[in-house]
Amino acid sequence: GIAYAESAELVFGGTQNQILFVLDAQTGSIRDTIKSSDWGIGSPSDPFAGAMDISCSRDGSVLALLVASVNGYKVVIMEYPSKRILKDSVTVGRDFAGSSDAWKLMRVKVSPMSRYVVTHDPTKSMSVPGRYQLRLYDLLQDTAYLIDGRSWARCDFDDAERQMVFLSSG
């Protein structure tokens, strides 16, 4: 996974060696590293496999990380540079959707000013059986909403965070 925080000129890049690199976008030099132990995964019984998808706010203050371990996948929402975990939101088992590489379809998205984060949710759709939903976190109000959308599809926000576009189920 990789994400670019435009106004901070930072690049967040995930690797498969238990580290997320924070790079200066202008020089390419490493500014910081974030270890998988900071994300609450990577124990000896559940080894870390990688940061598969990354999204960040425009200023890089909020990161959403889809991380994989031997036993499954989960989404971690983190403040940066404090590395404080805001939400440890969704755990999805390794056999989810019958595939050990289900992460290839999962997406996370942080809105431009970091108020909202959208993740996959393992709750089944009421209107389209067999499909999963999206979860929208409002970090300002500390609330979450299920959206009956295509959980695998990317979504996006306008710059003012007043509108969100996503693929619906139906």
Side-chain angles (χ1 to χ4, degrees):
I2 191 166
Y4 177 53
E6 182 179 348
S7 66
E9 295 189 357
L10 295 175
V11 175
F12 298 92
T15 68
Q16 293 192 353
N17 64 356
Q18 302 187 19
I19 293 176
L20 176 78
F21 289 103
V22 183
L23 304 173
D24 182 302
Q26 291 204 350
T27 66
S29 61
I30 296 173
R31 274 209 186 161
D32 196 2
T33 57
I34 304 170
K35 298 181 181 116
S36 64
S37 57
D38 296 331
W39 305 340
I41 68 164
S43 69
S45 63
D46 191 20
F48 176 78
M52 303 308 183
D53 194 33
I54 304 169
S55 181
C56 64
S57 58
R58 190 179 298 135
D59 65 359
S61 64
V62 172
L63 302 173
L65 308 162
L66 172 66
V67 294
S69 66
V70 170
N71 295 320
Y73 314 92
K74 73 179 184 176
V75 175
V76 176
I77 302 169
M78 175 188 294
E79 275 185 340
Y80 185 81
S82 71
K83 302 175 189 171
R84 182 172 72 93
I85 303 298
L86 299 174
K87 302 271 184 212
D88 186 353
S89 61
V90 178
T91 300
V92 180
R94 184 165 178 76
D95 293 328
F96 175 74
S99 173
S100 63
D101 60 359
W103 62 268
K104 289 180 180 178
L105 299 173
M106 294 180 202
R107 297 291 174 249
V108 292
K109 180 66 178 179
V110 179
S111 65
M113 294 183 286
S114 70
R115 177 175 179 172
Y116 301 104
V117 177
V118 177
T119 71
H120 165 80
D121 193 272
T123 305
K124 295 267 187 161
S125 168
M126 297 288 281
S127 61
V128 184
R131 288 217 182 122
Y132 295 90
Q133 297 186 62
L134 296 171
R135 181 159 303 270
L136 173 68
Y137 289 98
D138 182 334
L139 300 179
L140 184 66
Q141 303 216 4
D142 197 26
T143 56
Y145 307 93
L146 275 176
I147 299 172
D148 202 6
R150 296 291 298 268
S151 64
W152 306 122
R154 291 201 180 270
C155 69
D156 208 353
F157 296 86
D158 68 310
D159 285 342
E161 297 184 340
R162 294 181 57 140
Q163 296 180 49
M164 181 179 110
V165 62
F166 63 94
L167 200 61
S168 69
S169 293

